[in-house]
Amino acid sequence: MRTPGRWWRHKSTPEKVETYTRGSFHLFAVMEFFSVGLTSVAPLGPRLGSAVMAVVAVHAGLCFITVSRAIDWTRGRRPQPTGLLWTLAAVTAAIAVTAIGIAEHGPKGGDVDTAAGGVFGVILIFGPGIIALGVRDRRRAFAIAGGFAAGTLTVTLALGAPALTALFTAVIVLIGGVFIAFTAVFSIWLLNAVYQLDEARETRSRLAVAEERLRFGRDLHDVMGRNLAVIALKSELAVQLAQRGRPEAVTQMVEVQRLAQESQREVREVVRGYREADLGSELAGAQGVLAAAGIDCTVGGAPVAGLPAAVQSALGWVVREAATNVLRHGDARRCAVRLRVLEGLVVLSVENDGVSEAGKEPGGGPSGTGLAGLRERLAQIDGTLEAGPAGRGVFRLTAQIPLPSPPAPPGAAPAVIAARPVSEVTS
């Protein structure tokens, strides 16, 4: 069973902001019911108070549904709930008029007037603010609050209230309605901005991949374009010479063979340069990317300088894959990378607290294709990779690669250094 904390951490940042926005405005509906719905029963009596409580409950339920529908419309998941907005506006106005009627013609007493005034004020403040969630134009959202305030002034004056009292009541309704409407407009703007920033980040990542592919394509074109053109020309020349029985055709084909072998070598160099990863750059990049995602990442241990190029390249890919897995699943709050150089052995460990309930790294665990590819890459230089839980809620990925032995001095007997297992190295 998933705990509430893990459910929250599993959400992306835009999803967290959306959940917070929904919860905040749903809370307004709950506050409306408990602040004026339940409290109306005692001063208004069981019969009239229960009726008012039921009416307020209906209004709070409409507000609750309107919040969900309006936010879904804002995110483009459903059409604008125009009918629901008009219904909420009509119910809000009807309840407000009813509250004034109770205060003027209902049971006499200060408690009755206070209860009716509370229902009147809260309904007219929360109603326009919730309606503003479903309106795209900001000026129209504030105009709704102003319209309810103007209606309040008109109705109170029509019922014979003093002009000063009616004006004061309308101002209170206007200030409260504008405040809730402003909160709604700002919350929707913030929610859309967070989603747009997240989409921009994904677009930037895709553009970076596209640019890298273009660079790789340009490199291949530069390497192969000239050689293939020369091979085609020399092959055509060799065919013409062979048709004439000229011995120079053999020389041309030998040159074609040489160019083909040279092209193979240059392509391997391009691919090798494309696939190699610099350990120092990968460590710095992983720390920066994880920090930007709100994950505390620490890098420590032995310096990178002095390690063989093949070892740095392999460990760079380990860091890249580990950081990608941590980012992909979003459960981790901290990540620690440690590099150690022991006797004839270099050990890189990456720990994070984003382990899943199944005991594997979120999103695939040790059997994932990414880790399988790393094992194959490390096996080429006699390295090993282990990944799995390392304590409660902690996932550890450990790579160890034997270092090449330094050249022995003349006449010295060869030394044999046995690499210790990972369980001893990482303990």
Side-chain angles (χ1 to χ4, degrees):
M1 183 177 179
R2 296 175 62 183
T3 61
R6 185 172 295 278
W7 166 81
W8 176 257
R9 293 195 303 270
H10 187 69
K11 290 179 174 291
S12 64
T13 299
E15 290 173 344
K16 290 179 180 178
V17 175
E18 181 177 346
T19 302
Y20 176 79
T21 303
R22 288 178 183 271
S24 299
F25 284 94
H26 284 157
L27 183 61
F28 286 163
V30 175
M31 290 171 55
E32 176 183 286
F33 174 74
F34 283 99
S35 62
V36 297
L38 288 178
T39 58
S40 300
V41 177
L44 297 179
R47 188 172 181 180
L48 182 58
S50 299
V52 171
M53 182 181 66
V55 171
V56 173
V58 170
H59 187 271
L62 280 174
C63 290
F64 203 93
I65 298 173
T66 303
V67 169
S68 297
R69 298 290 178 86
I71 293 180
D72 286 343
W73 164 70
T74 301
R75 297 305 313 145
R77 300 173 188 145
R78 64 170 69 239
Q80 185 179 16
T82 306
L84 188 60
L85 296 177
W86 280 108
T87 302
L88 179 58
V91 172
T92 299
I95 295 177
V97 172
T98 302
I100 294 179
I102 292 175
E104 293 292 332
H105 306 288
K108 302 302 180 181
D111 291 342
V112 174
D113 293 342
T114 301
V119 172
F120 175 82
V122 170
I123 291 295
L124 283 183
I125 289 174
F126 284 168
I130 299 300
I131 294 173
L133 288 172
V135 178
R136 195 177 301 277
D137 189 358
R138 300 176 184 176
R139 291 175 295 182
R140 185 176 299 177
F142 295 127
I144 292 173
F148 275 96
T152 299
L153 179 63
T154 302
V155 172
T156 51
L157 288 176
L159 293 177
L164 187 60
T165 301
L167 181 61
F168 179 76
T169 304
V171 170
I172 294 298
V173 170
L174 178 63
I175 294 175
V178 168
F179 175 77
I180 301 298
F182 172 79
T183 303
V185 170
F186 178 78
S187 299
I188 294 300
W189 172 83
L190 179 63
L191 177 62
N192 291 332
V194 171
Y195 269 104
Q196 289 171 3
L197 287 175
D198 187 68
E199 292 172 359
R201 184 177 62 179
E202 293 181 358
T203 302
R204 184 177 61 181
S205 300
R206 290 194 295 268
L207 288 176
V209 173
E211 289 178 358
E212 184 64 14
R213 289 174 177 171
L214 289 174
R215 184 196 67 80
F216 186 62
R218 287 193 301 266
D219 290 346
L220 282 179
H221 177 270
D222 294 341
V223 168
M224 296 298 297
R226 178 186 61 84
N227 289 349
L228 289 177
V230 176
I231 288 174
L233 290 175
K234 288 189 172 292
S235 298
E236 183 179 356
L237 178 59
V239 169
Q240 294 178 0
L241 293 174
Q243 290 175 348
R244 299 173 186 176
R246 301 283 296 274
E248 291 87 348
V250 177
T251 304
Q252 295 299 326
M253 289 307 300
V254 170
E255 182 66 15
V256 168
Q257 183 182 21
R258 186 192 66 79
L259 287 173
Q261 293 173 348
E262 181 69 16
S263 298
Q264 287 181 331
R265 184 188 63 81
E266 291 180 350
V267 169
R268 282 195 297 267
E269 289 180 355
V270 171
V271 174
R272 186 182 299 112
Y274 177 75
R275 298 184 65 182
E276 284 182 353
D278 180 69
L279 180 56
S281 300
E282 293 297 334
L283 288 172
Q287 190 174 23
V289 169
L290 293 178
I295 302 173
D296 182 21
C297 180
T298 58
V299 177
V304 176
L307 294 178
V311 174
Q312 288 200 37
S313 177
L315 294 181
W317 278 97
V318 173
V319 173
R320 181 182 300 181
E321 178 68 20
T324 301
N325 288 339
V326 174
L327 283 175
R328 183 181 301 163
H329 313 296
D331 288 341
R333 289 176 292 180
R334 66 171 185 86
C335 180
V337 183
R338 187 181 181 190
L339 179 68
R340 287 170 291 172
V341 179
L342 307 176
E343 295 180 358
L345 190 70
V346 57
V347 178
L348 176 71
S349 61
V350 182
E351 290 186 3
N352 70 84
D353 59 353
V355 66
S356 67
E357 297 174 1
K360 295 182 179 181
E361 185 183 21
S367 60
T369 57
L371 298 184
L374 287 180
R375 287 191 175 94
E376 295 176 358
R377 186 182 296 273
L378 293 177
Q380 296 176 0
I381 53 176
D382 299 328
T384 59
L385 179 72
E386 290 190 2
R392 185 174 181 179
V394 177
F395 186 89
R396 178 186 296 162
L397 185 147
T398 304
Q400 63 171 357
I401 301 175
L403 293 173
S405 302
V416 178
I417 300 176
R420 290 179 289 174
V422 174
S423 59
E424 297 180 8
V425 172
T426 58
S427 60

